[in-house]
Amino acid sequence: MWWKTVCVLLVAPSVLGVTELLHNSDFELKEFRPEDGGWYGNGCTADWSSDSYAGKHSVKVTNRVRKWGGMAYNVTLSGSKNYYFKAEIKLLNTHPGSLFTKVQVRTAVYSTSGSVKHALVSEVRFMEPLMWQVIGGDFSTPADVTTVQLYVQITDTDVNYLLDTSTLHEIPTIPNSWRAEADIAIEKYRKADLNIRALGSLPALKDLTVEVNQEKHEFGFGSAVHADMLVDSQYKAYQDFFYDNFEWGVIENKLKWKQMEWSEGHVDYDTALNAIDAMLKHGVKIRAHNVFWGIDENIPKWQQGMTGQTLWKQMERRIQGVIPRTKGKVEHWDVNNENVHGHFYEIGTGDANATMWMFREIHKLDPNVKLFLNDFGVVKDSHSTQAFYDQAMMFKNTPNVPLYGLGIQSHLFPPIDMSVLKYRLDQIVSTGLPIWITELDISEPLEDRKADLYEDVLRLYFSTPQIHGIMFWGFWDGKHSKPVAAIASGQSVTPNAAGQRWQKLFKHDWRTVDQARSLSTGQATIRGFKGRYSLSVKRNGVTLHNEEVILGTGGTNLTLSLAGIGDTIHVSNILIG
Ligand SMILES: *[C@@H]1O[C@H](CO)[C@@H](O)[C@H](O)[C@H]1NC(C)=O
Ligand SMILES: *[C@@H]1O[C@H](CO)[C@@H](O)[C@H](O)[C@H]1NC(C)=O
Ligand SMILES: *[C@@H]1O[C@H](CO)[C@@H](O)[C@H](O)[C@H]1NC(C)=O
């Protein structure tokens, strides 16, 4: 129900504003010559095909002469606007001996000055043949644009393909009122009612109050941490800041295979597990990052060149080593980090679906841990939004792949166009899978500007109901992959302007504290952020009873059964239901 409603609130205006900018976008007309004013075959043969994604026809591309040979479209666009292009593609073959094909969408942008600029819009690095998948992404036009040529580029010229169901439209600019709308969504989706009913005689209830304070959020607010610093007494200020400002932690490096096993067979589990235990002791929940990372420079060095059975055995050993040791301690695992960008294990094993195997094997050993795909370039730029969508949908639609959710890294660099950020996010929201923002940082040197940017981005994410948590990718400029993005600085780990803004949101605006209600009528309602609360019943300021209450989706009804009268009244038998 809430899912449908958010579509109306946040997505529908975009849908209403869509005007299709492409002629013959569905390829139902047999018009593929340049003079037809639509898609045309450029350095290739373009035929009408009846193997279609939708409707009756698609276009079939063969005899490609160069990597850029294929379907192209010349479209006249307005300047200084954002556009989104998408199409369905089906590769008919791969280059002999290859499992995958790299497929790009590119633009040639012509302007009144006569200049031509070529740019990459998006890329699917590892596309499998014989299935329909989406390609595309967004781009912005310069002020003096005349024509934009959109084209599909595939380096392997012997790869033929079908193209269907294309679309090009302007990305609507979200109005300045978006923050107020986001706050309405936050109020609606992040809060619930705590209904308290007191059973007892009314005169006895006259002076009673109930007070609540939120102790934990249901939403995951967290940060990456350095394992060593969490257990080193020299870094007390670092630890204090972390425990005071976050409720979830993810170890930035020391759970990665390469970092745990610099030389083959010598595995350091302790560094990570000591930090995990320290966080658990403080009530912090843990994302684990990552079992595999199939980008060539991030695999253990000793693994380079391994293939086939040798590699499968190593992969089994990794899963059997790390998963039982973290079982019951961690809530999430990133399974094969940045898989959209690296396929070391697929290529090495020769199994295009090796990552699905990883998901299944990990799930067998720890059926409770939630398994994620986690990637970059999904909302930061246009390059991998659609590739991530394609992978998510393929995993979701394949039986017995225990994919729980999607991790969007979100390493952002200004300028940040909120309309475009939201548009890219909405592409991933449309998978219907739970989303976590896993590695948020914003590299902005001006402190006040950085504070505003963090607040805007956090507000957009927190107001999106399909997002269940946001992890910063570090917080302290003394140890940060991008110190300019830090929210705390110096030896004493002092919050900067962005850190103070974070504290205001996390501790105040998005938390329910010190809420008191009279019980004189026998009932009270407190609407608060979902999470765990401490509740106390007081009479004239004196606490009579304390209780832990969970406020979750759908609200919580609490019945207080009161016994005794007059000054000696006490509270007993608290029922939560
Ligand atoms: C596409 O537009 C560019 C720029 O106006 C032009 O140079 C090129 O010839 C056009 N191609 C076709 C096939 O119309
Ligand atoms: C990989 O899995 C997908 C989805 O189930 C399937 O369509 C495809 O054929 C598989 N690829 C290989 C090489 O088995
Ligand atoms: C709380 O009580 C109300 C009124 O009896 C009921 O409609 C609602 O479903 C209850 N909510 C929960 C979470 O039990």
Side-chain angles (χ1 to χ4, degrees), residues 224-225 227 249-255 272 275-276 279 287 289 473:
V225 287
V250 56
I251 293 172
E252 190 165 328
N253 290 316
K254 296 294 181 163
L255 274 173
I276 287 173
M279 286 191 273
R287 292 197 87 243
H289 174 83
W473 200 239

Side-chain angles (χ1 to χ4, degrees), residues 149-160:
Q149 185 190 43
L150 276 167
Y151 60 103
V152 178
Q153 174 161 306
I154 299 177
T155 308
D156 295 334
T157 52
D158 50 358
V159 170
N160 301 323

Side-chain angles (χ1 to χ4, degrees), residues 99 128-129 131 351-353 356 394 397-399:
L99 288 173
E128 286 191 64
M131 55 179 111
D351 181 345
N353 290 329
M356 293 184 185
M394 182 161 93
N397 293 331
T398 302

Side-chain angles (χ1 to χ4, degrees), residues 16 75 126 145 182 245 330 371 378 403 410 415-416 444 512 551:
L16 293 175
V75 60
F126 305 99
V145 68
N245 288 283
V330 305
L371 302 182
V378 176
L403 169 69
S410 193
I416 298 169
E444 166 59 58
T512 304
L551 180 56

Side-chain angles (χ1 to χ4, degrees), residues 343-568:
H343 267 37
F344 174 80
Y345 297 100
E346 285 82 356
I347 292 165
T349 59
D351 181 345
N353 290 329
T355 298
M356 293 184 185
W357 171 89
M358 295 170 186
F359 273 78
R360 284 191 294 265
E361 294 303 305
I362 295 168
H363 183 73
K364 277 185 210 159
L365 294 186
D366 187 353
N368 293 322
V369 73
K370 295 184 166 100
L371 302 182
F372 282 75
L373 292 168
N374 183 56
D375 232 298
F376 69 91
V378 176
V379 295
K380 186 205 85 177
D381 57 40
S382 65
H383 297 175
S384 304
T385 317
Q386 218 57 64
F388 197 49
Y389 171 89
D390 283 336
Q391 189 185 30
M393 292 310 285
M394 182 161 93
F395 275 49
K396 183 181 168 178
N397 293 331
T398 302
N400 303 319
V401 177
L403 169 69
Y404 166 80
L406 303 175
I408 297 177
Q409 294 189 0
S410 193
H411 297 289
L412 303 177
F413 291 85
I416 298 169
D417 183 327
M418 294 304 288
S419 303
V420 173
L421 183 67
K422 175 167 157 41
Y423 199 88
R424 292 174 187 154
L425 178 62
D426 285 345
Q427 306 305 305
I428 304 306
V429 164
S430 74
T431 63
L433 290 163
I435 297 169
W436 278 62
I437 302 298
T438 50
E439 307 185 9
L440 173 64
D441 52 31
I442 303 178
S443 295
E444 166 59 58
L446 297 174
E447 295 295 348
D448 290 333
R449 179 93 195 102
K450 179 161 74 176
D452 290 345
L453 287 174
Y454 269 115
E455 177 163 355
D456 275 352
V457 170
L458 287 162
R459 174 167 275 109
L460 173 68
Y461 290 159
F462 191 50
S463 66
T464 303
Q466 294 81 2
I467 295 179
H468 297 267
I470 302 169
M471 308 290 293
F472 283 70
W473 200 239
F475 53 92
W476 182 44
D477 68 353
K479 189 79 179 171
H480 199 296
S481 57
K482 300 187 191 78
V484 71
I487 64 168
S489 43
Q491 276 308 305
S492 51
V493 192
T494 310
N496 57 27
Q500 287 165 19
R501 194 70 65 85
W502 166 243
Q503 291 175 328
K504 176 176 175 312
L505 297 171
F506 172 71
K507 291 167 179 269
H508 181 264
D509 295 5
W510 295 340
R511 183 187 289 263
T512 304
V513 286
D514 294 334
Q515 293 292 309
R517 299 285 185 281
S518 164
L519 280 178
S520 60
T521 64
Q523 59 185 44
T525 293
I526 299 175
R527 187 162 175 84
F529 284 96
K530 294 176 205 171
R532 199 181 79 209
Y533 282 80
S534 67
L535 172 147
S536 35
V537 178
K538 294 187 177 178
R539 182 181 183 109
N540 297 326
V542 178
T543 300
L544 303 176
H545 188 91
N546 288 315
E547 185 73 20
E548 292 275 302
V549 183
I550 303 290
L551 180 56
T553 301
T556 297
N557 291 340
L558 183 69
T559 304
L560 306 173
S561 292
L562 308 174
I565 41 164
D567 292 340
T568 60

